[in-house]
Amino acid sequence: MVAELSGLTHLPRQGRAEVGRRYGAPWILMYHSVADEDEDPYQLTVSPDRFAAQMRWLAARGWRGVSVGELLAARAAGSRERLVGLTFDDGYADFARHAVPVLAGYGFTATAYVVADRLGGENGWDAEGPRKALLTDRQVRELSSTGWEIGSHGLTHLALPGVPAEQLRAEVRESRAILEELVGGRVAGFCYPYGAVDEPAARAAAEAGYDYAVAIQHSRLAGRFALPRCYVGDRDGAWRLRAKRGRHGLRDVVTELRRRGSAR
């Protein structure tokens, strides 16, 4: 099962070119909220000015920010363009207000992972953080219709490891069905709430028909249905982004060496 989840079998058509070789995790940045906040206990908010500077840094160094769907399709096609995945978890309304105009200015795209049963509500799962408005149904439809990838972040933002099978299916499958009806098209990506993933959760995402799923850590499940990502915060300027890029590559190598060692 670990081999299957790491992207070596049971891939959708655009991923089959990767069968039989080392996966090589693409560089994917993980954002949450882009806003000016006085309180940020979970360090999930990047100010609009800092975000603009980060996108400027990427563009100046030849990187093009894209949705995860576009990133994986380009890799499968053998593209050598310098692409970096841009993801926004939780579906905050400030994505449309502050992030989209900056991204569009550089010709970048991105993926917004939204909580299907919380659209138009607030981030009630953050006990200590400031209340933040979430994207509404209308905003999600508009974003999807104008080319922004919409992915599922579960039904209720529940951490999936260890939950009963029926509840796991609801979080993964029902969230996708709700969003596909909302946007009038296919929802290809899943994002594990809190980045928490185990084998049953990864298996559920694969069996639900998603093309891919994103996590956070470079774990033994790393691959098509547990893509690792690089956290980006408000403190991340040029030298920290450069260091994080290097660390991402190193962790990818270490993860692959451990996987090969355990397979012997």
Side-chain angles (χ1 to χ4, degrees):
M1 175 54 66
V2 173
E4 293 178 4
L5 298 176
S6 63
L8 298 182
T9 61
H10 300 303
L11 291 182
R13 183 176 302 275
Q14 69 266 34
R16 292 175 187 165
E18 296 181 85
V19 172
R21 66 177 177 84
R22 187 174 78 82
Y23 190 79
W27 194 29
I28 303 175
L29 303 184
M30 178 183 69
Y31 286 92
H32 287 76
S33 172
V34 179
D36 289 310
E37 291 283 4
D38 294 330
E39 299 179 52
D40 188 24
Y42 300 107
Q43 297 184 343
L44 298 179
T45 305
V46 175
S47 73
D49 287 346
R50 175 66 83 179
F51 179 73
Q54 291 167 347
M55 295 303 101
R56 185 165 59 248
W57 182 86
L58 289 173
R61 280 148 188 82
W63 290 95
R64 182 166 70 87
V66 295
S67 67
V68 178
E70 182 176 349
L71 176 64
L72 296 180
R75 280 167 54 87
S79 172
R80 295 185 177 276
E81 187 178 1
R82 285 165 64 88
L83 301 179
V84 55
L86 300 179
T87 64
F88 294 79
D89 293 13
D90 299 344
Y92 293 111
D94 56 47
F95 170 72
R97 185 182 315 118
H98 294 306
V100 165
V102 174
L103 295 171
Y106 287 104
F108 290 0
T109 61
T111 305
Y113 297 108
V114 303
V115 184
D117 203 35
R118 297 289 185 267
L119 298 178
E122 296 180 332
N123 56 326
W125 52 83
D126 288 334
E128 299 180 11
R131 297 279 70 85
K132 291 175 177 286
L134 304 178
L135 292 165
T136 65
D137 290 26
R138 178 179 178 180
Q139 287 176 310
V140 170
R141 280 195 299 268
E142 290 176 348
L143 288 166
S144 177
S145 68
T146 52
W148 302 93
E149 183 183 21
I150 300 298
S152 170
H153 201 31
L155 191 63
T156 62
H157 202 277
L158 176 70
L160 300 182
V163 304
E166 184 175 347
Q167 190 173 19
L168 177 59
R169 284 193 297 271
E171 289 288 336
V172 176
R173 290 178 179 270
E174 289 184 23
S175 63
R176 185 181 184 213
I178 290 171
L179 294 176
E180 287 188 334
E181 182 176 359
L182 177 62
V183 303
R186 191 163 182 270
V187 171
F190 185 80
C191 175
Y192 302 103
Y194 308 102
V197 57
D198 58 4
E199 282 195 34
R203 187 184 304 115
E207 293 176 349
Y210 291 98
D211 286 353
Y212 72 87
V214 296
I216 298 176
Q217 302 297 327
H218 285 73
S219 72
R220 67 189 184 90
L221 294 175
R224 191 85 182 199
F225 292 98
L227 290 165
R229 293 181 295 163
C230 178
Y231 160 83
V232 182
D234 196 57
R235 296 175 58 197
D236 292 328
W239 73 268
R240 288 174 64 97
L241 287 174
R242 189 179 299 110
K244 287 187 174 186
R245 168 58 184 157
R247 185 171 60 184
H248 172 83
L250 178 60
R251 286 177 173 173
D252 184 36
V253 171
V254 170
T255 298
E256 181 62 23
L257 289 175
R258 287 176 176 171
R259 179 180 291 153
R260 291 183 181 184
S262 65
R264 291 176 182 173

CSV table of all heavy atoms in Angstrom, one decimal, residues 161-212:
chain,number,residue,atom,x,y,z
A,161,PRO,N,-6.7,11.1,10.5
A,161,PRO,CA,-6.2,9.9,11.1
A,161,PRO,C,-7.0,9.4,12.3
A,161,PRO,O,-7.3,10.1,13.2
A,161,PRO,CB,-4.8,10.3,11.5
A,161,PRO,CG,-4.4,11.4,10.6
A,161,PRO,CD,-5.7,12.2,10.4
A,162,GLY,N,-7.3,8.1,12.2
A,162,GLY,CA,-8.0,7.5,13.3
A,162,GLY,C,-9.5,7.6,13.3
A,162,GLY,O,-10.2,7.0,14.2
A,163,VAL,N,-10.1,8.4,12.4
A,163,VAL,CA,-11.6,8.5,12.5
A,163,VAL,C,-12.2,7.3,11.9
A,163,VAL,O,-11.6,6.5,11.1
A,163,VAL,CB,-12.0,9.8,11.7
A,163,VAL,CG1,-11.4,11.0,12.2
A,163,VAL,CG2,-11.8,9.6,10.2
A,164,PRO,N,-13.5,7.0,12.3
A,164,PRO,CA,-14.2,5.8,11.8
A,164,PRO,C,-14.3,5.8,10.3
A,164,PRO,O,-14.4,6.9,9.7
A,164,PRO,CB,-15.5,5.9,12.5
A,164,PRO,CG,-15.3,6.7,13.7
A,164,PRO,CD,-14.2,7.7,13.3
A,165,ALA,N,-14.4,4.7,9.6
A,165,ALA,CA,-14.4,4.6,8.2
A,165,ALA,C,-15.5,5.3,7.5
A,165,ALA,O,-15.3,6.0,6.5
A,165,ALA,CB,-14.4,3.1,7.8
A,166,GLU,N,-16.7,5.3,8.1
A,166,GLU,CA,-17.9,6.0,7.6
A,166,GLU,C,-17.7,7.5,7.6
A,166,GLU,O,-18.0,8.2,6.6
A,166,GLU,CB,-19.1,5.6,8.3
A,166,GLU,CG,-20.4,6.2,7.7
A,166,GLU,CD,-21.7,5.7,8.4
A,166,GLU,OE1,-21.6,4.7,9.2
A,166,GLU,OE2,-22.7,6.3,8.2
A,167,GLN,N,-17.1,8.0,8.7
A,167,GLN,CA,-16.9,9.4,8.8
A,167,GLN,C,-15.8,9.8,7.9
A,167,GLN,O,-15.8,10.9,7.3
A,167,GLN,CB,-16.5,9.7,10.3
A,167,GLN,CG,-16.4,11.2,10.6
A,167,GLN,CD,-16.2,11.5,12.0
A,167,GLN,OE1,-15.8,10.7,12.8
A,167,GLN,NE2,-16.6,12.7,12.5
A,168,LEU,N,-14.8,9.0,7.7
A,168,LEU,CA,-13.7,9.3,6.8
A,168,LEU,C,-14.2,9.4,5.4
A,168,LEU,O,-13.8,10.3,4.6
A,168,LEU,CB,-12.6,8.2,6.9
A,168,LEU,CG,-11.4,8.3,5.9
A,168,LEU,CD1,-10.7,9.6,6.1
A,168,LEU,CD2,-10.5,7.1,6.1
A,169,ARG,N,-15.1,8.5,5.0
A,169,ARG,CA,-15.6,8.6,3.6
A,169,ARG,C,-16.4,9.8,3.4
A,169,ARG,O,-16.4,10.5,2.4
A,169,ARG,CB,-16.5,7.3,3.4
A,169,ARG,CG,-15.8,6.1,3.1
A,169,ARG,CD,-16.7,5.0,2.6
A,169,ARG,NE,-17.7,4.6,3.5
A,169,ARG,CZ,-17.6,3.7,4.4
A,169,ARG,NH1,-16.4,3.0,4.5
A,169,ARG,NH2,-18.5,3.4,5.3
A,170,ALA,N,-17.2,10.3,4.5
A,170,ALA,CA,-18.0,11.5,4.3
A,170,ALA,C,-17.1,12.7,4.1
A,170,ALA,O,-17.3,13.6,3.3
A,170,ALA,CB,-18.8,11.7,5.6
A,171,GLU,N,-16.0,12.8,4.9
A,171,GLU,CA,-15.1,13.9,4.8
A,171,GLU,C,-14.4,14.0,3.5
A,171,GLU,O,-14.2,15.1,2.9
A,171,GLU,CB,-14.0,13.8,5.9
A,171,GLU,CG,-14.5,14.1,7.3
A,171,GLU,CD,-14.9,15.5,7.6
A,171,GLU,OE1,-14.3,16.4,6.9
A,171,GLU,OE2,-15.7,15.8,8.5
A,172,VAL,N,-14.1,12.9,2.9
A,172,VAL,CA,-13.4,12.8,1.7
A,172,VAL,C,-14.3,12.8,0.4
A,172,VAL,O,-14.1,13.6,-0.5
A,172,VAL,CB,-12.4,11.6,1.6
A,172,VAL,CG1,-11.7,11.5,0.3
A,172,VAL,CG2,-11.4,11.7,2.7
A,173,ARG,N,-15.3,12.0,0.4
A,173,ARG,CA,-16.2,11.8,-0.7
A,173,ARG,C,-17.3,12.9,-0.8
A,173,ARG,O,-17.5,13.5,-1.8
A,173,ARG,CB,-16.8,10.4,-0.7
A,173,ARG,CG,-15.8,9.3,-1.0
A,173,ARG,CD,-16.5,7.9,-1.0
A,173,ARG,NE,-15.6,6.9,-1.3
A,173,ARG,CZ,-15.4,6.4,-2.5
A,173,ARG,NH1,-16.0,6.9,-3.5
A,173,ARG,NH2,-14.5,5.4,-2.7
A,174,GLU,N,-18.0,13.1,0.3
A,174,GLU,CA,-19.1,14.0,0.3
A,174,GLU,C,-18.6,15.4,0.1
A,174,GLU,O,-19.3,16.2,-0.6
A,174,GLU,CB,-19.9,13.9,1.6
A,174,GLU,CG,-20.7,12.7,1.8
A,174,GLU,CD,-21.5,12.7,3.0
A,174,GLU,OE1,-21.8,13.8,3.5
A,174,GLU,OE2,-21.9,11.6,3.5
A,175,SER,N,-17.5,15.8,0.6
A,175,SER,CA,-16.9,17.1,0.4
A,175,SER,C,-16.7,17.4,-1.1
A,175,SER,O,-17.0,18.4,-1.6
A,175,SER,CB,-15.6,17.4,1.2
A,175,SER,OG,-14.6,16.5,0.8
A,176,ARG,N,-16.2,16.3,-1.8
A,176,ARG,CA,-15.9,16.5,-3.2
A,176,ARG,C,-17.2,16.6,-4.0
A,176,ARG,O,-17.3,17.4,-4.9
A,176,ARG,CB,-15.1,15.2,-3.7
A,176,ARG,CG,-14.7,15.3,-5.1
A,176,ARG,CD,-14.0,14.1,-5.6
A,176,ARG,NE,-13.5,14.3,-7.0
A,176,ARG,CZ,-13.4,13.2,-7.8
A,176,ARG,NH1,-13.8,12.0,-7.4
A,176,ARG,NH2,-13.0,13.5,-9.0
A,177,ALA,N,-18.2,15.8,-3.6
A,177,ALA,CA,-19.5,15.8,-4.3
A,177,ALA,C,-20.1,17.2,-4.2
A,177,ALA,O,-20.7,17.8,-5.2
A,177,ALA,CB,-20.4,14.8,-3.8
A,178,ILE,N,-20.1,17.8,-3.0
A,178,ILE,CA,-20.7,19.1,-2.8
A,178,ILE,C,-20.0,20.2,-3.6
A,178,ILE,O,-20.6,21.0,-4.3
A,178,ILE,CB,-20.6,19.5,-1.3
A,178,ILE,CG1,-21.5,18.6,-0.4
A,178,ILE,CG2,-20.8,21.0,-1.0
A,178,ILE,CD1,-21.3,18.8,1.1
A,179,LEU,N,-18.6,20.1,-3.6
A,179,LEU,CA,-17.9,21.1,-4.4
A,179,LEU,C,-18.0,21.0,-5.9
A,179,LEU,O,-18.1,22.0,-6.6
A,179,LEU,CB,-16.4,21.1,-4.0
A,179,LEU,CG,-16.1,21.5,-2.5
A,179,LEU,CD1,-14.6,21.3,-2.2
A,179,LEU,CD2,-16.5,22.9,-2.3
A,180,GLU,N,-18.1,19.7,-6.4
A,180,GLU,CA,-18.3,19.5,-7.8
A,180,GLU,C,-19.6,20.0,-8.3
A,180,GLU,O,-19.8,20.6,-9.4
A,180,GLU,CB,-18.1,18.0,-8.1
A,180,GLU,CG,-16.7,17.6,-8.1
A,180,GLU,CD,-16.5,16.2,-8.6
A,180,GLU,OE1,-17.4,15.4,-8.5
A,180,GLU,OE2,-15.3,15.9,-9.0
A,181,GLU,N,-20.7,19.9,-7.4
A,181,GLU,CA,-22.0,20.4,-7.8
A,181,GLU,C,-21.9,21.9,-7.8
A,181,GLU,O,-22.5,22.6,-8.6
A,181,GLU,CB,-23.0,19.9,-6.8
A,181,GLU,CG,-24.4,20.4,-7.1
A,181,GLU,CD,-25.5,19.8,-6.2
A,181,GLU,OE1,-25.1,19.0,-5.3
A,181,GLU,OE2,-26.7,20.2,-6.4
A,182,LEU,N,-21.2,22.5,-6.8
A,182,LEU,CA,-21.1,23.9,-6.7
A,182,LEU,C,-20.4,24.6,-7.9
A,182,LEU,O,-20.9,25.6,-8.4
A,182,LEU,CB,-20.3,24.3,-5.4
A,182,LEU,CG,-20.1,25.8,-5.1
A,182,LEU,CD1,-21.4,26.6,-5.0
A,182,LEU,CD2,-19.2,26.0,-3.9
A,183,VAL,N,-19.2,24.0,-8.3
A,183,VAL,CA,-18.4,24.6,-9.4
A,183,VAL,C,-18.8,24.1,-10.7
A,183,VAL,O,-18.4,24.7,-11.8
A,183,VAL,CB,-16.9,24.4,-9.1
A,183,VAL,CG1,-16.5,25.0,-7.8
A,183,VAL,CG2,-16.6,22.9,-9.3
A,184,GLY,N,-19.7,23.1,-10.8
A,184,GLY,CA,-20.1,22.6,-12.1
A,184,GLY,C,-19.0,21.9,-12.9
A,184,GLY,O,-19.0,21.9,-14.1
A,185,GLY,N,-18.1,21.3,-12.1
A,185,GLY,CA,-17.0,20.6,-12.8
A,185,GLY,C,-16.3,19.7,-11.8
A,185,GLY,O,-16.7,19.5,-10.7
A,186,ARG,N,-15.2,19.1,-12.3
A,186,ARG,CA,-14.4,18.1,-11.5
A,186,ARG,C,-13.5,18.8,-10.5
A,186,ARG,O,-12.9,19.8,-10.7
A,186,ARG,CB,-13.6,17.3,-12.4
A,186,ARG,CG,-13.0,16.1,-11.8
A,186,ARG,CD,-12.5,15.1,-12.9
A,186,ARG,NE,-11.9,13.9,-12.2
A,186,ARG,CZ,-10.7,13.7,-11.9
A,186,ARG,NH1,-9.8,14.7,-12.2
A,186,ARG,NH2,-10.2,12.7,-11.3
A,187,VAL,N,-13.5,18.2,-9.3
A,187,VAL,CA,-12.6,18.7,-8.2
A,187,VAL,C,-11.5,17.6,-8.1
A,187,VAL,O,-11.8,16.4,-7.7
A,187,VAL,CB,-13.3,18.9,-6.9
A,187,VAL,CG1,-12.4,19.1,-5.7
A,187,VAL,CG2,-14.3,20.0,-7.0
A,188,ALA,N,-10.3,17.9,-8.4
A,188,ALA,CA,-9.3,16.9,-8.6
A,188,ALA,C,-8.4,16.7,-7.4
A,188,ALA,O,-7.7,15.7,-7.3
A,188,ALA,CB,-8.4,17.2,-9.8
A,189,GLY,N,-8.3,17.7,-6.5
A,189,GLY,CA,-7.3,17.7,-5.4
A,189,GLY,C,-7.9,17.7,-4.1
A,189,GLY,O,-9.0,18.3,-3.8
A,190,PHE,N,-7.3,17.0,-3.1
A,190,PHE,CA,-7.7,17.0,-1.7
A,190,PHE,C,-6.5,17.5,-0.9
A,190,PHE,O,-5.4,17.2,-1.1
A,190,PHE,CB,-8.1,15.6,-1.3
A,190,PHE,CG,-8.7,15.5,0.1
A,190,PHE,CD1,-10.0,15.8,0.3
A,190,PHE,CD2,-7.9,15.1,1.1
A,190,PHE,CE1,-10.5,15.8,1.6
A,190,PHE,CE2,-8.4,15.0,2.4
A,190,PHE,CZ,-9.7,15.3,2.7
A,191,CYS,N,-6.9,18.2,0.2
A,191,CYS,CA,-5.9,18.7,1.2
A,191,CYS,C,-6.3,18.2,2.6
A,191,CYS,O,-7.4,18.4,3.0
A,191,CYS,CB,-5.8,20.2,1.2
A,191,CYS,SG,-4.8,20.9,2.4
A,192,TYR,N,-5.4,17.4,3.2
A,192,TYR,CA,-5.7,16.9,4.5
A,192,TYR,C,-5.7,18.0,5.6
A,192,TYR,O,-4.7,18.7,5.7
A,192,TYR,CB,-4.6,15.8,5.0
A,192,TYR,CG,-4.5,14.7,4.0
A,192,TYR,CD1,-3.5,14.6,3.1
A,192,TYR,CD2,-5.5,13.7,4.0
A,192,TYR,CE1,-3.4,13.6,2.2
A,192,TYR,CE2,-5.4,12.6,3.0
A,192,TYR,CZ,-4.3,12.6,2.1
A,192,TYR,OH,-4.2,11.6,1.2
A,193,PRO,N,-6.8,18.1,6.3
A,193,PRO,CA,-6.9,19.2,7.4
A,193,PRO,C,-5.7,19.0,8.3
A,193,PRO,O,-5.4,17.9,8.7
A,193,PRO,CB,-8.2,18.9,8.0
A,193,PRO,CG,-9.1,18.3,6.9
A,193,PRO,CD,-8.1,17.5,6.1
A,194,TYR,N,-5.1,20.1,8.7
A,194,TYR,CA,-3.9,20.1,9.6
A,194,TYR,C,-2.7,19.3,9.0
A,194,TYR,O,-1.7,19.1,9.6
A,194,TYR,CB,-4.2,19.5,11.0
A,194,TYR,CG,-5.4,20.1,11.6
A,194,TYR,CD1,-6.6,19.4,11.6
A,194,TYR,CD2,-5.4,21.3,12.3
A,194,TYR,CE1,-7.8,20.0,12.2
A,194,TYR,CE2,-6.5,21.9,12.9
A,194,TYR,CZ,-7.7,21.2,12.8
A,194,TYR,OH,-8.8,21.7,13.4
A,195,GLY,N,-2.8,18.9,7.7
A,195,GLY,CA,-1.7,18.2,7.1
A,195,GLY,C,-1.6,16.8,7.6
A,195,GLY,O,-0.7,16.1,7.3
A,196,ALA,N,-2.6,16.3,8.4
A,196,ALA,CA,-2.5,15.0,9.1
A,196,ALA,C,-3.0,13.9,8.2
A,196,ALA,O,-4.2,13.9,7.7
A,196,ALA,CB,-3.3,15.1,10.4
A,197,VAL,N,-2.1,12.9,7.9
A,197,VAL,CA,-2.5,11.8,7.0
A,197,VAL,C,-1.9,10.5,7.5
A,197,VAL,O,-0.8,10.5,8.0
A,197,VAL,CB,-2.0,12.1,5.6
A,197,VAL,CG1,-0.5,12.4,5.5
A,197,VAL,CG2,-2.4,11.0,4.6
A,198,ASP,N,-2.7,9.5,7.4
A,198,ASP,CA,-2.2,8.1,7.6
A,198,ASP,C,-2.6,7.3,6.4
A,198,ASP,O,-3.2,7.8,5.5
A,198,ASP,CB,-2.8,7.6,9.0
A,198,ASP,CG,-4.3,7.5,9.0
A,198,ASP,OD1,-4.9,7.8,8.0
A,198,ASP,OD2,-4.8,7.2,10.1
A,199,GLU,N,-2.3,6.0,6.5
A,199,GLU,CA,-2.6,5.1,5.3
A,199,GLU,C,-4.1,5.1,5.0
A,199,GLU,O,-4.5,5.2,3.8
A,199,GLU,CB,-2.1,3.7,5.5
A,199,GLU,CG,-0.6,3.7,5.2
A,199,GLU,CD,-0.1,2.2,5.1
A,199,GLU,OE1,-0.8,1.4,4.6
A,199,GLU,OE2,1.1,2.0,5.5
A,200,PRO,N,-5.0,4.9,6.0
A,200,PRO,CA,-6.4,4.9,5.6
A,200,PRO,C,-6.9,6.2,5.0
A,200,PRO,O,-7.7,6.2,4.0
A,200,PRO,CB,-7.1,4.7,7.0
A,200,PRO,CG,-6.1,3.9,7.8
A,200,PRO,CD,-4.8,4.5,7.4
A,201,ALA,N,-6.4,7.3,5.5
A,201,ALA,CA,-6.8,8.6,4.9
A,201,ALA,C,-6.3,8.8,3.4
A,201,ALA,O,-7.0,9.2,2.5
A,201,ALA,CB,-6.3,9.8,5.7
A,202,ALA,N,-5.0,8.4,3.2
A,202,ALA,CA,-4.5,8.4,1.9
A,202,ALA,C,-5.2,7.5,0.9
A,202,ALA,O,-5.5,7.8,-0.2
A,202,ALA,CB,-3.0,8.1,1.9
A,203,ARG,N,-5.5,6.3,1.4
A,203,ARG,CA,-6.3,5.3,0.6
A,203,ARG,C,-7.6,5.9,0.3
A,203,ARG,O,-8.1,5.7,-0.9
A,203,ARG,CB,-6.4,4.0,1.4
A,203,ARG,CG,-7.0,2.9,0.5
A,203,ARG,CD,-7.2,1.6,1.4
A,203,ARG,NE,-5.9,1.2,2.0
A,203,ARG,CZ,-5.7,1.2,3.3
A,203,ARG,NH1,-6.7,1.6,4.1
A,203,ARG,NH2,-4.6,0.8,3.8
A,204,ALA,N,-8.3,6.5,1.2
A,204,ALA,CA,-9.6,7.1,1.0
A,204,ALA,C,-9.6,8.1,-0.1
A,204,ALA,O,-10.5,8.2,-0.9
A,204,ALA,CB,-10.2,7.6,2.3
A,205,ALA,N,-8.5,9.0,-0.1
A,205,ALA,CA,-8.4,10.0,-1.1
A,205,ALA,C,-8.2,9.4,-2.5
A,205,ALA,O,-8.8,9.9,-3.5
A,205,ALA,CB,-7.3,11.0,-0.7
A,206,ALA,N,-7.4,8.4,-2.5
A,206,ALA,CA,-7.1,7.7,-3.8
A,206,ALA,C,-8.4,7.0,-4.3
A,206,ALA,O,-8.8,7.2,-5.5
A,206,ALA,CB,-6.0,6.7,-3.7
A,207,GLU,N,-9.1,6.3,-3.5
A,207,GLU,CA,-10.3,5.6,-3.9
A,207,GLU,C,-11.5,6.5,-4.2
A,207,GLU,O,-12.4,6.1,-4.9
A,207,GLU,CB,-10.7,4.6,-2.8
A,207,GLU,CG,-9.6,3.5,-2.6
A,207,GLU,CD,-9.9,2.5,-1.5
A,207,GLU,OE1,-10.8,2.8,-0.7
A,207,GLU,OE2,-9.3,1.5,-1.4
A,208,ALA,N,-11.4,7.7,-3.6
A,208,ALA,CA,-12.5,8.7,-3.9
A,208,ALA,C,-12.4,9.3,-5.3
A,208,ALA,O,-13.4,10.0,-5.7
A,208,ALA,CB,-12.5,9.8,-2.9
A,209,GLY,N,-11.3,9.0,-6.0
A,209,GLY,CA,-11.2,9.5,-7.4
A,209,GLY,C,-10.4,10.8,-7.5
A,209,GLY,O,-10.4,11.3,-8.7
A,210,TYR,N,-9.8,11.3,-6.5
A,210,TYR,CA,-9.0,12.5,-6.6
A,210,TYR,C,-7.8,12.1,-7.4
A,210,TYR,O,-7.3,11.0,-7.4
A,210,TYR,CB,-8.5,13.0,-5.2
A,210,TYR,CG,-9.6,13.6,-4.4
A,210,TYR,CD1,-10.2,12.8,-3.4
A,210,TYR,CD2,-10.0,14.9,-4.6
A,210,TYR,CE1,-11.3,13.4,-2.6
A,210,TYR,CE2,-11.0,15.5,-3.8
A,210,TYR,CZ,-11.6,14.7,-2.8
A,210,TYR,OH,-12.6,15.2,-2.0
A,211,ASP,N,-7.2,13.1,-8.1
A,211,ASP,CA,-6.0,12.9,-8.8
A,211,ASP,C,-4.8,13.0,-7.9
A,211,ASP,O,-3.7,12.4,-8.2
A,211,ASP,CB,-5.8,14.0,-9.9
A,211,ASP,CG,-6.7,13.8,-11.1
A,211,ASP,OD1,-7.4,12.8,-11.2
A,211,ASP,OD2,-6.7,14.7,-11.9
A,212,TYR,N,-4.9,13.7,-6.8
A,212,TYR,CA,-3.8,13.9,-5.9
A,212,TYR,C,-4.3,14.4,-4.5
A,212,TYR,O,-5.4,14.8,-4.4
A,212,TYR,CB,-2.7,14.9,-6.4
A,212,TYR,CG,-3.3,16.3,-6.4
A,212,TYR,CD1,-3.1,17.1,-5.3
A,212,TYR,CD2,-3.9,16.9,-7.5
A,212,TYR,CE1,-3.6,18.4,-5.2
A,212,TYR,CE2,-4.5,18.2,-7.4
A,212,TYR,CZ,-4.3,18.9,-6.3
A,212,TYR,OH,-4.8,20.2,-6.2
